[in-house]
Amino acid sequence: MKESFYITSSQLTGDICPVFRKCFTISGEIKCAQINVSALGVYNAVLNGHKVGDDVLAPGWTAYGSRLQYQCYDITPLLKKENELQVTVGRGWFSSPMPGFTEGEEKNERMNCQRALIGEICLTYEDGRQEILRTDDSWEWACSPVLFSEIYDGEIYDARLNPVAWEKASILDWSKDILIPQEGEAVREMERVAPKEIIHTPVGETVIDFGQEVTSYVQICLPDAKAGDQVEFLHGEVLDQQGNFYNDNYRSAKAHVLYTCRDGAQTWHPQLTFFGFRYIKLVQFPGTPELQDFEAVVVYSDIKRTGWIETGHAGVNQLISNIFWGQKGNFLDVPTDCPQRDERLGWTGDAQVFVRTASYNYDVEKFFTKWLHDLAADQRPDGGVGMVIPDYLPDGQPSAAWGDAAVICPWQIYRTYGNPQILADQFESMRKWVDYIGSVTNTKDLWTGGEHFGDWLGLDAPSGSYKGSTREDFIASAFYLYSTDLLIKAGKVLGKDMAEYEALKGRIRTAFSKAFPEYKTQTEHVLALYFGLTDQPQRTADELAEMIRAAGTSMKTGFVGTPYLLHVLTEYGHSDVAYDLFLREAYPSWLYSVGKGATTIWEHWDGIMEDGSFWSTDMNSFNHYAYGSVADWLYEKAAGIRPLEAYPGFMRVRIEPVTDKRLGSLEARLQTRSGLICSGWKYIGDAVRYEIRTEVPATICIGGREQEVMPGNYTFWA
Ligand code: BGC
């Protein structure tokens, strides 16, 4: 690839996506043929009229300043004697105006970047000859029928147009040192969802309901259209109080598609962008739309499912479905906050909160390895980690619990999959983050000062603020200890001397106890327990349980406290409170959104309020996976499949289910690297039958009795 040139259009094409082409003739019997390709943008490659490979939105999103993936596809079956390769390049993440809510030099530069293609066609003949056709100025370019394509705003396509005026491509001078082979999971068309209903809204709109919030593009199929007919639609996640189309919460993202037909039968979908939605509003459509004219093509990283949970409670089962859909919808090459509004960014805090659940639901080792390499690549010279990775907010201050993703994510990936390589890869980045905190804090051995997101969206936030009432210095210092602790553990796995950090950890612990002798909020209690900051854990846990009861058995925690809340309650003998919170149906609760018809996890517990009105358009995503992290409590505590620190990758496991009659039954299955582990329980009258199937040695703890077992199937009653 390094001998190929980046090629670009010889004239600026504005919004129109350029298409590049190479025509070539085969001079003998082909043994095999491959194309290696990448782009500054996202590409769609077509050879002799057939799509090359099944990746979409390639080359994916990386820290482009230092890392640009290329893909390799076998093209042997597509070759003929005379061949024409066409590759259309859209803005993608590379030159889209991201994020939509900030302006800045760096963003302007990015938007004005020339889209370009780089690649090589490698032909191997039966007689041993090799021929390599590298991108250079012998390739041509033209304007494609994609008149506009961009991550936030959508796509405009004119099927009447055919690239005709081919011109010589220009060479673009761009670093080739950044080229790396595909590292993450490819993004693919993973599922298809048929629409459920055509709705005619009170204000007279025609809206198609897919019945499920998806991250996708809609395929339209027109049996008979006339050249010049147009299909135009907008995407939305919810209907408003009156049942009309609504997408003000997309903020500046237009999420718009306009397709102009050619004559005859045709099937089309956008190629170089994606949308987060459940509904589309038809603005123009030739004739009367029918359900079969539409299909949502669901795209996400090709991750393999490894976790299943099913209970005897319909609402909880819907919640679990919402968590899985939330992950699918936000694991499109980078773990994103949301797939719809003018963000869709790799928010580090959200990823950190969700990584454990994510790693049980699906095999995300490769997915996170790539993203963590990007995190290290975009880590600032002083060790600071940006709010989003790839770092499209370079002026943003590193925040506690967000930057800590640098440490928490690799550690979790190691724990789930047992492969120390991720720690070896990330160790320097982890260490730099911990050192960074030490270099910016106002108080030695704590993290005070700085700009933080606090307990983001905490329900104890003072009016008008998104930040809960938990003290920011408390959160930052608690995470300082936690990250130092995980760094030490990682260092030990790698056989490093961690004495210096062990001493630091001791000092942070002491300083913390002095600075924060008491805990004021629910989240402060949760962190003190989960990070081992309290000397009297049982007392702290009892206080937490009382606070929750005093608040009407209601949580006040935000992004920082919620993921650990049910874990600590269960650990310290308050599983009744944990279950009360988990099974609560009134706002705020996991099941409230289910009652309101959610099909993914919402950003706010009350994204749609009791009366059907919305949170402000400011920040109201209906596909934000963070609170879906409750699934790791279901796997680890409710089903009781508890990983043991000394046995990463579930080589050995403790199984200690925690039941609740209101759930009726629960069955969780985890396909781990060491084997399948299933834990289920079911109430039969007042008795509980436990069914355990483990392919790894386990300690089973039921009804207070512990038992060491070898792989096998076990039934217990209690
Ligand atoms: C994102 C969040 C993110 C937060 C940081 C929001 O706009 O959507 O999920 O973590 O900003 O405060």
Side-chain angles (χ1 to χ4, degrees):
M1 282 287 272
K2 297 249 161 106
E3 288 164 57
S4 303
F5 293 95
Y6 287 96
I7 54 170
T8 187
S9 53
S10 53
Q11 291 159 44
L12 292 179
T13 59
D15 283 335
I16 303 173
C17 297
V19 53
F20 298 92
R21 98 167 162 180
K22 179 74 182 173
C23 298
F24 58 100
T25 309
I26 297 300
S27 59
E29 275 299 296
I30 287 286
K31 187 169 174 217
C32 60
Q34 178 176 312
I35 175 169
N36 303 326
V37 60
S38 187
L40 303 177
V42 287
Y43 67 80
N44 183 36
V46 174
L47 177 59
N48 301 327
H50 297 280
K51 181 168 166 58
V52 172
D54 49 9
D55 297 11
V56 297
L57 298 160
W61 193 10
T62 43
Y64 292 129
S66 46
R67 291 159 42 81
L68 175 65
Q69 299 184 119
Y70 63 87
Q71 289 72 36
C72 309
Y73 306 105
D74 178 8
I75 51 167
T76 323
L78 300 181
L79 283 181
K80 297 184 191 161
K81 176 113 182 61
E82 300 295 333
N83 298 281
E84 183 184 35
L85 174 73
Q86 288 197 10
V87 190
T88 308
V89 181
R91 287 183 179 279
W93 299 278
F94 183 84
S95 67
S96 280
M98 301 177 78
F101 54 90
T102 55
E103 294 308 326
E105 183 98 347
E106 193 252 352
K107 171 171 155 180
N108 283 342
E109 253 174 48
R110 187 165 351 104
M111 268 171 67
N112 293 324
C113 270
Q114 281 268 88
R115 279 149 287 178
L117 178 76
I118 186 164
E120 56 190 14
I121 303 166
C122 309
L123 306 169
T124 308
Y125 290 93
E126 286 290 359
D127 60 14
R129 269 181 309 130
Q130 271 232 328
E131 201 179 334
I132 302 185
L133 308 169
R134 300 189 169 91
T135 43
D136 60 16
D137 60 6
S138 73
W139 291 50
E140 298 164 295
W141 78 275
C143 284
S144 78
V146 187
L147 302 182
F148 176 91
S149 181
E150 196 275 296
I151 297 289
Y152 295 145
D153 286 349
E155 204 155 298
I156 301 177
Y157 190 94
D158 190 336
R160 295 169 305 181
L161 304 174
N162 259 322
V164 276
W166 293 99
E167 288 177 45
K168 248 167 87 120
S170 297
I171 304 290
L172 180 79
D173 186 21
W174 201 268
S175 168
K176 292 178 211 165
D177 295 337
I178 61 176
L179 288 165
I180 53 166
Q182 170 80 23
E183 227 181 56
E185 301 282 6
V187 176
R188 302 218 159 98
E189 296 183 348
M190 299 292 286
E191 296 176 43
R192 290 187 172 238
V193 173
K196 300 284 174 296
E197 196 186 347
I198 299 183
I199 299 169
H200 300 286
T201 68
V203 295
E205 304 146 322
T206 302
V207 168
I208 317 270
D209 177 9
F210 288 85
Q212 172 63 55
E213 162 115 14
V214 287
T215 297
S216 155
Y217 35 72
V218 172
Q219 175 170 294
I220 46 176
C221 180
L222 304 167
D224 185 24
K226 279 195 287 306
D229 282 348
Q230 292 196 308
V231 180
E232 184 176 11
F233 52 91
L234 296 168
H235 300 73
E237 296 181 282
V238 288
L239 300 180
D240 73 9
Q241 218 168 358
Q242 285 75 39
N244 294 313
F245 180 82
Y246 172 90
N247 74 356
D248 294 351
N249 62 327
Y250 285 37
R251 305 193 306 213
S252 70
K254 292 199 184 88
H256 166 248
V257 166
L258 174 62
Y259 173 76
T260 305
C261 305
R262 52 182 160 72
D263 270 326
Q266 53 213 286
T267 298
W268 176 86
H269 60 69
Q271 303 167 355
L272 302 167
T273 188
F274 62 95
F275 309 86
F277 64 97
R278 170 173 166 173
Y279 301 93
I280 57 169
K281 172 173 106 172
L282 293 183
V283 180
Q284 297 189 64
F285 192 84
T288 310
E290 308 271 355
L291 283 179
Q292 69 263 23
D293 302 336
F294 306 90
E295 192 169 35
V297 183
V298 182
V299 289
Y300 52 93
S301 290
D302 194 351
I303 43 180
K304 207 170 112 232
R305 184 149 176 188
T306 51
W308 292 264
I309 313 174
E310 210 187 322
T311 73
H313 186 296
V316 170
N317 291 343
Q318 181 63 47
L319 174 73
I320 294 162
S321 165
N322 297 358
I323 294 170
F324 276 89
W325 274 106
Q327 180 164 356
K328 294 192 274 193
N330 284 296
F331 273 49
L332 199 161
D333 211 33
V334 161
T336 53
D337 56 336
C338 57
Q340 73 300 80
R341 69 176 177 224
D342 57 358
E343 294 212 40
R344 312 190 194 179
L345 301 163
W347 281 96
T348 46
D350 306 44
Q352 172 272 109
V353 161
F354 191 66
V355 61
R356 190 173 357 161
T357 285
S359 72
Y360 294 165
N361 287 344
Y362 291 90
D363 184 340
V364 292
E365 186 175 22
K366 219 168 134 181
F367 177 89
F368 266 99
T369 299
K370 163 188 169 277
W371 184 72
L372 285 166
H373 288 174
D374 287 315
L375 182 149
D378 270 355
Q379 197 161 1
R380 300 171 188 173
D382 63 1
V385 173
M387 307 190 280
V388 297
I389 297 295
D391 196 354
Y392 276 23
L393 288 167
D395 300 327
Q397 286 283 315
S399 163
W402 269 249
D404 291 283
V407 178
I408 295 170
C409 294
W411 179 250
Q412 185 60 51
I413 294 301
Y414 166 68
R415 283 197 76 186
T416 303
Y417 304 115
N419 181 356
Q421 188 58 45
I422 189 74
L423 301 180
D425 289 3
Q426 298 303 122
F427 186 78
E428 270 313 293
S429 155
M430 297 163 86
R431 194 182 56 75
K432 272 159 63 184
W433 169 250
V434 170
D435 290 353
Y436 165 81
I437 301 172
S439 72
V440 293
T441 177
N442 291 336
T443 315
K444 195 172 169 307
D445 301 329
L446 295 172
W447 187 1
T448 62
E451 280 175 34
H452 303 279
F453 293 117
D455 189 18
W456 189 246
L457 306 188
L459 291 169
D460 51 3
S463 135
S465 170
Y466 283 128
K467 296 181 189 176
S469 290
T470 296
R471 291 166 282 178
E472 288 184 18
D473 289 346
F474 186 110
I475 295 174
S477 301
F479 273 87
Y480 187 21
L481 181 108
Y482 188 48
S483 278
T484 306
D485 188 37
L486 299 186
L487 175 71
I488 295 167
K489 288 177 177 166
K492 287 190 172 163
V493 170
L494 299 171
K496 293 182 191 288
D497 174 8
M498 298 305 290
E500 184 193 329
Y501 290 95
E502 282 177 316
L504 171 65
K505 182 183 157 191
R507 292 198 308 273
I508 302 175
R509 180 80 167 58
T510 311
F512 192 94
S513 301
K514 254 197 222 142
F516 306 105
E518 57 188 39
Y519 315 131
K520 298 186 176 165
T521 62
Q522 290 185 11
T523 289
E524 290 185 5
H525 284 77
V526 170
L527 296 186
L529 284 162
Y530 198 80
F531 296 164
L533 290 157
T534 165
D535 293 324
Q536 294 172 290
Q538 192 57 54
R539 197 176 127 191
T540 306
D542 296 346
E543 266 172 32
L544 172 64
E546 266 166 45
M547 283 178 94
I548 293 168
R549 290 284 188 222
T553 311
S554 168
M555 65 184 138
K556 299 277 178 218
T557 49
F559 267 38
V560 165
T562 307
Y564 309 130
L565 175 64
L566 303 192
H567 283 283
V568 298
L569 287 168
T570 308
E571 283 297 340
Y572 292 97
H574 294 290
S575 42
D576 54 335
V577 184
Y579 265 110
D580 285 353
L581 289 176
F582 180 65
L583 293 171
R584 184 185 156 101
E585 289 177 6
Y587 161 82
S589 69
W590 282 275
L591 292 181
Y592 171 80
S593 64
V594 170
K596 286 280 175 198
T599 59
T600 36
I601 301 294
W602 296 352
E603 179 172 27
H604 291 279
W605 296 111
D606 56 347
I608 301 177
M609 307 207 189
E610 287 289 6
D611 65 358
S613 63
F614 296 127
W615 253 86
S616 88
T617 53
D618 232 33
M619 286 247 310
N620 198 17
S621 150
F622 293 95
N623 194 358
H624 236 71
Y625 56 49
Y627 291 142
S629 60
V630 72
D632 54 56
W633 175 81
L634 285 171
Y635 287 111
E636 289 188 6
K637 300 297 189 311
I641 305 174
R642 301 178 183 214
L644 299 171
E645 200 153 295
Y647 298 94
F650 292 90
M651 280 185 299
R652 211 196 140 87
V653 74
R654 181 177 173 87
I655 302 177
E656 187 176 357
V658 178
T659 66
D660 189 287
K661 198 168 182 186
R662 290 167 290 175
L663 208 51
S665 65
L666 181 143
E667 200 201 330
R669 276 189 291 150
L670 264 186
Q671 182 61 59
T672 73
R673 286 283 193 275
S674 312
L676 182 70
I677 305 168
C678 310
S679 169
W681 49 260
K682 188 178 167 83
Y683 273 82
I684 296 168
D686 279 334
V688 185
R689 192 183 70 219
Y690 296 84
E691 300 269 4
I692 288 166
R693 180 169 159 218
T694 173
E695 290 180 359
V696 306
T699 305
I700 298 180
C701 181
I702 285 172
R705 267 193 54 223
E706 264 190 29
Q707 193 179 335
E708 305 293 326
V709 302
M710 293 310 288
N713 297 346
Y714 301 91
T715 304
F716 301 88
W717 287 87

